[in-house]
Amino acid sequence: MRMILAVVAVLYSASAFAQTDKPPMVGDKPLVQVKPKGTKAGTKEAAAKPAAAPKGKPQSVAARLQACLDTDDGTKDRLNCYDAIIPPTPKPKPAKAKGYADCRFFKEEDERLACFNGFAESIPKLPKT
């Protein structure tokens, strides 16, 4: 029991002495220099700009389509929101849409908007995490 207590005391004191205010040095330079990603140290632009906020997890297509439902129904803004997610590629005689990706083939804006609305409203609400 005394031996275990002695070993613990030595290890605890060694870890206490290992903690210093300054980083370890090699010559007159610090041993490790960690720089944040995306910034270049030493440039005036990096010093003038604050670091950009890290982007969150990319949203799925379903989540982005549901976000378009927040804009007013039947407006050009909502159609523009859908078109930003899935760009339109009109066909002269499109078949009936089987999925939201098929809505891009409709030439008429009203048909395309109604198609996107139908699929976006039928998607189950995703849980917020």
Side-chain angles (χ1 to χ4, degrees):
M1 182 71 175
R2 289 182 187 171
M3 187 59 117
I4 294 173
L5 207 57
V7 170
V8 168
V10 168
L11 291 176
Y12 182 75
S13 63
S15 66
F17 284 121
Q19 297 177 2
T20 62
D21 293 336
K22 295 188 277 182
M25 304 292 271
V26 175
D28 60 342
K29 295 184 178 180
L31 182 63
V32 178
Q33 293 181 344
V34 179
K35 299 175 187 169
K37 288 185 177 182
T39 60
K40 295 180 182 178
T43 62
K44 292 181 181 179
E45 295 168 0
K49 288 184 184 177
K55 289 190 174 185
K57 185 177 176 183
Q59 289 185 332
S60 67
V61 174
R64 291 187 286 169
L65 286 173
Q66 286 178 340
C68 292
L69 292 174
D70 294 339
T71 55
D72 293 331
D73 189 19
T75 61
K76 180 76 171 160
D77 289 337
R78 185 181 280 193
L79 182 62
N80 289 340
C81 181
Y82 290 138
D83 288 344
I85 298 167
I86 303 172
T89 53
K91 288 187 175 178
K93 292 184 180 180
K96 184 179 179 191
K98 295 179 182 173
Y100 61 84
D102 295 337
C103 294
R104 66 183 171 175
F105 298 128
F106 288 109
K107 188 174 184 179
E108 292 294 321
E109 293 180 351
D110 293 334
E111 291 176 5
R112 200 164 65 241
L113 182 61
C115 180
F116 278 125
N117 281 338
F119 284 110
E121 291 168 354
S122 67
I123 298 172
K125 295 288 182 192
L126 300 173
K128 304 256 181 180
T129 56

